[in-house]
Amino acid sequence: MGRHFSLSAASLLLASGSAGAQSSTQSALEPAGAEAQQIAILFWVMLSGGAVIWLGVVGLLLHSALVNRRRLAEKSASIIILWGGVVFPSVTLCALLAYALWLMPGLRPFAQASSAALRIEVTGRQFWWEVVYHPPQGPPVTSANEIRLPVGERVELTLKAPM
């Protein structure tokens, strides 16, 4: 058991080290396009907002459980619950929603720009995906279970389910 674990750990360490040595690795933390950059910023803002809410609620919980051990009157407990558990998270979430809605028009460039270079239609079947490529010129090309995207071009992706 110990030898198997050490071999697995060593192979995982080698694989992670060799993956980092490549020059062009994909990473969700390094967006390549303008839209991907906006989505990454939105992710970090939402993560930060969620962390602020979580830290605030947990801080209130720890304060009431460890620091302030005396019994609170019902009125003061209701005020703490109202402001710390309802108002603060609601205001923070509304601010995050407002930021996301403000950012959305920039994430949907197809509404203002011309049509995409390639349209891909994906239909979910019972045990597989049917992928139909509709190029600007030429007949549609059908594939199954994998999507190939052209580098550096806009693609319109349509998802369907059979009735």
Side-chain angles (χ1 to χ4, degrees):
M1 177 70 179
R3 179 174 166 81
H4 177 70
F5 176 74
S6 63
L7 285 175
S8 298
S11 63
L12 183 63
L13 184 63
L14 283 173
S16 66
S18 64
Q22 296 175 357
S23 62
S24 62
T25 58
Q26 284 186 334
S27 173
L29 301 177
E30 284 188 42
E35 291 90 1
Q37 180 68 30
Q38 288 180 331
I39 291 171
I41 290 171
L42 179 63
F43 166 75
W44 288 112
V45 168
M46 292 285 183
L47 181 70
S48 301
V52 166
I53 292 173
W54 184 80
L55 288 172
V57 171
V58 169
L60 272 175
L61 175 74
L62 291 176
H63 176 72
S64 63
L66 301 175
V67 176
N68 194 1
R69 303 254 335 161
R70 65 177 167 77
R71 292 185 71 105
L72 292 176
E74 187 174 334
K75 184 176 182 181
S76 27
S78 296
I79 290 172
I80 289 174
I81 290 171
L82 176 69
W83 285 98
V86 177
V87 174
F88 172 67
S90 298
V91 167
T92 307
L93 287 174
C94 284
L96 290 173
L97 177 64
Y99 176 72
L101 291 175
W102 174 76
L103 193 63
M104 282 180 86
L107 294 177
R108 302 230 358 140
F110 295 121
Q112 295 108 9
S114 62
S115 63
L118 176 65
R119 188 170 62 88
I120 301 175
E121 182 180 300
V122 180
T123 305
R125 304 292 179 185
Q126 186 172 3
F127 298 110
W128 60 287
W129 297 94
E130 178 184 11
V131 181
V132 180
Y133 298 89
H134 298 279
Q137 294 98 14
V141 177
T142 303
S143 175
N145 293 332
E146 72 178 42
I147 298 174
R148 302 218 175 215
L149 300 174
V151 177
E153 292 184 24
R154 293 188 185 271
V155 175
E156 180 182 345
L157 188 65
T158 307
L159 300 175
K160 291 185 174 183
M163 296 290 174

